[in-house]
Amino acid sequence: MSYLDDPRVFLAAERTLLAWQRTALALMGFGFVVERFGLFLHMVVGQALTPAQRGFSLWLGVGMTLLGGLLCVGSAVQFRTVIRSLGEAEIPRGYWTGCGVWLGFALAVIALALAIYFVLSAV
């Protein structure tokens, strides 16, 4: 990938990974807000929502949460691909390169659990 033998290449790849993970977290958080918006409407209006109203916010929120989880996995896989293409001089000695990858997979598991909770609590 790079012939610079410069650790800044690795650090730039890691910053990119973390930027994608922040974007994924934002999607997951926004998915949570959208999914719970139906509950907010129920409290404000004081009457039960129709299944169409509840279903729209539910499935849109679940979709955004799952999209955030997929983004976490995709960014972690892409980062591992970039790391494998780097030379020994580009990765700082003793630096643990797996932290961001494991964080991405943990966030994906949390997103999946949250999506399952949303669907099961709506029934």
Side-chain angles (χ1 to χ4, degrees):
M1 178 175 193
S2 171
Y3 301 102
L4 298 175
D5 291 334
D6 190 352
R8 290 181 292 181
V9 175
F10 164 73
L11 296 174
E14 191 171 52
R15 281 191 306 271
T16 302
L17 168 71
L18 295 175
W20 278 111
Q21 287 179 348
R22 279 192 308 269
T23 303
L25 274 172
L27 268 173
M28 291 167 55
F30 194 56
F32 178 83
V33 169
V34 167
E35 196 280 330
R36 291 298 164 181
F37 187 68
L39 178 64
F40 172 73
L41 285 177
H42 171 69
M43 292 174 62
V44 170
V45 174
Q47 59 185 349
L49 297 175
T50 66
Q53 291 169 328
R54 176 70 180 124
F56 180 73
S57 66
L58 169 70
W59 292 113
L60 184 61
V62 167
M64 291 179 74
T65 303
L66 289 176
L67 183 63
L70 285 174
L71 188 59
C72 283
V73 171
S75 65
V77 169
Q78 183 66 30
F79 177 72
R80 291 303 298 168
T81 303
V82 169
I83 292 302
R84 286 189 187 112
S85 71
L86 295 179
E88 188 176 304
E90 292 173 313
I91 300 174
R93 185 172 300 167
Y95 197 90
W96 188 43
T97 61
C99 184
V101 174
W102 285 110
L103 175 66
F105 287 122
L107 288 173
V109 168
I110 290 170
L112 182 62
L114 195 59
I116 290 171
Y117 170 74
F118 288 157
V119 171
L120 291 179
S121 67
V123 173

